[in-house]
Each structure stands twice: as C-alpha cells, then as structure tokens.
Amino acid sequence: MPTRAAALGLCVLCLAALQPLSAAADELTGGPPSRTGVIAIGAETGLIIPVSTKRLCPPDYACIADIGWAVDVGFSYRWANGIGLGFGYELWLLTANGVYEMTVPQTFLALLQYSFLPRRTIHPLLRLRGGFLVLGPSFRVATIGGAAEIGIGAEVELSSDTVFSFLLTGNLLRTQPFTTRADGANRAVEGALDAFLGLRVGINFLL
C-alpha cells in the first residue's frame, strides 16, 4: 500500500510539472501566452557594399553608388508558426564621388519572413523584401525603379518583448535611365541590375 501511494503521488507530481511545460509550449516566442501572433515595430541599420553597379556607374564616369549606410524602419505581424508579413521604409546614404553630395536610394518595401525554430531564444531567419524605389541626390528624385532583397540571419530574444537581429542581405536595384547633370553621364542604360551586399543589425519591439 505505501508503494502504491508513493507511485500515485509521483504520477500526480509529474502531471503537475507537465502542465506548465505544455502551457509554455503554446506561447509565442517573445509574446504573451494564448496569442496566435504579435505586432512588431522595429528599426535596422547597416553597411551597404556595392558588388555590381554597371547601370548606375557606367565606364569612364565617376560612380554614384559606392559604399554607404542603410537605415530602415518597419512594421510587421508575426504568427506563432514563424511567418511574418509587413512593410517598411528604407534609405541608403551612398558615396557619390563628387557627382552628387550623396546618393540616396529610398525604398518602400513589402516584407515576407520566416523564423526557423521560432520557439527558441535564438532562431535562424529568412527574409524577402521588394518594392518601389526612388533615387537621386540627397533626398531629391532623379529616377524611379524597383528593389528586391533576400536576407539570411538570426534573431536573439533579449526579453519577452524585445528582439535583436543580424542579417546578411543581397539587394538588387533597377532604375529607369537618367542623366547626372554634374558630368553629363547617361546612367542606368546598360546592364540588367545593380547588386549590393548588406551587413545589418536591428531591433524589434513586440506589442
């Protein structure tokens, strides 16, 4: 009888221990329990490195799309299964080698991302973005076009409502032809796309 009572008591303790674990498994990483998703508002910044800029930088003319910096703000909705949808605004500040004071591509982007192993504190991330592009000296518009991005990286949960991210992105730009007045160069005439790499860090706040 004492053995049966002890076994019964052990079973009760096991069931009691499993209940909080089950409840935790149902929680969205970085968010309150019993919610299927969260809203994320975030900012991102990073280094932009040109890889191929034949359209924006034709031969025999100074390049207007050298190394620079990116700044981004975004809004997304994230589901518990790791999928996220959203939109954002990003601007680059690129070295223009005297043709412009600074070349500023600005993009208005739609976002699709997927977090692998979303219930863990550190999880890999795949991100796709694309949208409308305007480009010109400083914040003026010299031409318009489109932009696309693929990014891989990871997110680290700093707290239940704060997530840090780091990504490596590949970015493609294509603009309509235009002429830079300072040197009379006809740009975005030859070549298919301009390509860049981005090394980025960001932070998101989950609401």
Side-chain angles (χ1 to χ4, degrees):
M1 290 297 292
T3 303
R4 290 185 180 180
L8 181 60
L10 182 60
C11 289
V12 170
L13 288 174
C14 289
L15 289 173
L18 285 173
Q19 285 182 350
L21 292 176
S22 176
D26 291 335
E27 296 181 12
L28 178 68
T29 300
S34 73
R35 289 175 61 176
T36 58
V38 293
I39 294 171
I41 298 175
E44 189 174 277
T45 188
L47 183 67
I48 299 297
I49 304 167
V51 176
S52 176
T53 54
K54 292 181 179 179
R55 285 179 61 81
L56 290 175
C57 305
D60 303 323
Y61 291 97
C63 185
I64 63 168
D66 268 346
I67 194 166
W69 205 255
V71 179
D72 169 275
V73 292
F75 173 94
S76 64
Y77 187 85
R78 301 180 176 199
W79 283 268
N81 59 8
I83 295 175
L85 292 174
F87 57 88
Y89 166 77
E90 178 167 292
L91 67 86
W92 295 358
L93 306 174
L94 301 179
T95 305
N97 295 299
V99 180
Y100 293 150
E101 182 178 347
M102 186 176 294
T103 301
V104 182
Q106 301 177 72
T107 49
F108 303 86
L109 301 162
L111 172 146
L112 169 63
Q113 70 176 35
Y114 182 73
S115 297
F116 300 87
L117 309 174
R119 301 187 189 282
R120 298 192 178 182
T121 302
I122 301 175
H123 43 265
L125 175 69
L126 173 65
R127 184 174 79 183
L128 300 174
R129 298 196 300 177
F132 178 69
L133 163 73
V134 296
L135 181 148
S138 298
F139 288 88
R140 299 190 296 274
V141 178
T143 185
I144 62 173
E149 175 193 276
I150 181 170
I152 56 172
E155 290 185 323
V156 181
E157 294 181 19
L158 303 179
S159 69
S160 62
D161 57 3
T162 306
V163 180
F164 173 81
S165 65
F166 53 93
L167 293 104
L168 170 66
T169 63
N171 296 80
L172 299 175
L173 308 183
R174 183 178 175 88
T175 64
Q176 294 182 353
F178 65 104
T179 301
T180 47
R181 294 181 181 178
D183 56 4
N186 295 318
R187 301 179 185 268
V189 176
E190 298 181 358
L193 297 164
D194 293 299
F196 300 81
L197 288 178
L199 303 174
R200 303 162 178 265
V201 294
I203 191 164
N204 278 276
F205 300 99
L206 309 182
L207 306 180

